[in-house]
């Protein structure tokens, strides 16, 4: 049997606990809104690619938005990202003279 005098306090306590839960949940590593990489090699602690400049073609276009399905190469996904977020990211283009 619940005493009705305690009900407002119990409701407040539940609301505070839920607020703390939401704060903790959104700041955990996987749900952080400021996380850049959300799809590429997520099992690795760091995503690193290395290329020998001599092995590149005359022109290489690398993704810097982390949205490309051909990462580390750009596939144009930055255009959709920029349209939906207002961001202005684009690829890194390396050309041999
Ligand atoms: Fe990421 Fe083009 S797809 S910069």
């Amino acid at each position: 049997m619940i005493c009705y005098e305690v009900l407002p306090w119990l409701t407040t306590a539940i609301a505070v606990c839920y607020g703390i839960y939401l704060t903790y949940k959104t700041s955990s590593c996987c749900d952080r809104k400021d996380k850049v990489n959300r799809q590429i090699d997520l099992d690795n602690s760091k995503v690193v690619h290395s290329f020998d400049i001599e092995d590149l073609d005359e022109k290489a276009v690398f993704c810097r938005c982390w949205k490309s399905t051909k990462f580390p190469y750009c596939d144009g996904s930055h255009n959709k990202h920029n349209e939906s977020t207002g961001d202005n990211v684009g690829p890194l283009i390396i050309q041999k003279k």
Side-chain angles (χ1 to χ4, degrees):
M1 183 169 131
I2 297 177
C3 177
Y4 291 106
E5 294 173 0
V6 178
L7 200 54
W9 293 103
L10 183 61
T11 304
T12 302
I14 290 170
V16 168
C17 289
Y18 186 66
I20 292 170
Y21 164 75
L22 289 178
T23 301
Y24 173 74
K25 181 182 176 222
T26 57
S27 65
S28 69
C29 71
C30 298
D31 293 334
R32 290 181 58 142
K33 298 201 181 318
D34 57 346
K35 189 173 179 177
V36 174
N37 181 15
R38 297 181 176 275
Q39 63 186 11
I40 299 161
D41 293 337
L42 295 177
D43 293 337
N44 292 327
S45 61
K46 186 183 291 184
V47 179
V48 177
H49 294 95
S50 178
F51 299 92
D52 186 332
I53 193 79
E54 300 300 325
D55 294 337
L56 296 177
D57 293 335
E58 290 298 312
K59 180 179 176 183
V61 183
F62 294 98
C63 176
R64 295 192 300 176
C65 74
W66 294 85
K67 307 292 183 199
S68 176
T69 58
K70 297 178 180 178
F71 197 88
Y73 298 103
C74 173
D75 70 350
S77 295
H78 60 270
N79 292 313
K80 182 179 176 188
H81 167 79
N82 287 344
E83 287 175 13
S84 65
T85 65
D87 213 339
N88 64 348
V89 296
L92 166 67
I93 301 172
I94 298 177
Q95 289 180 294
K96 294 181 182 176
K97 288 186 177 181

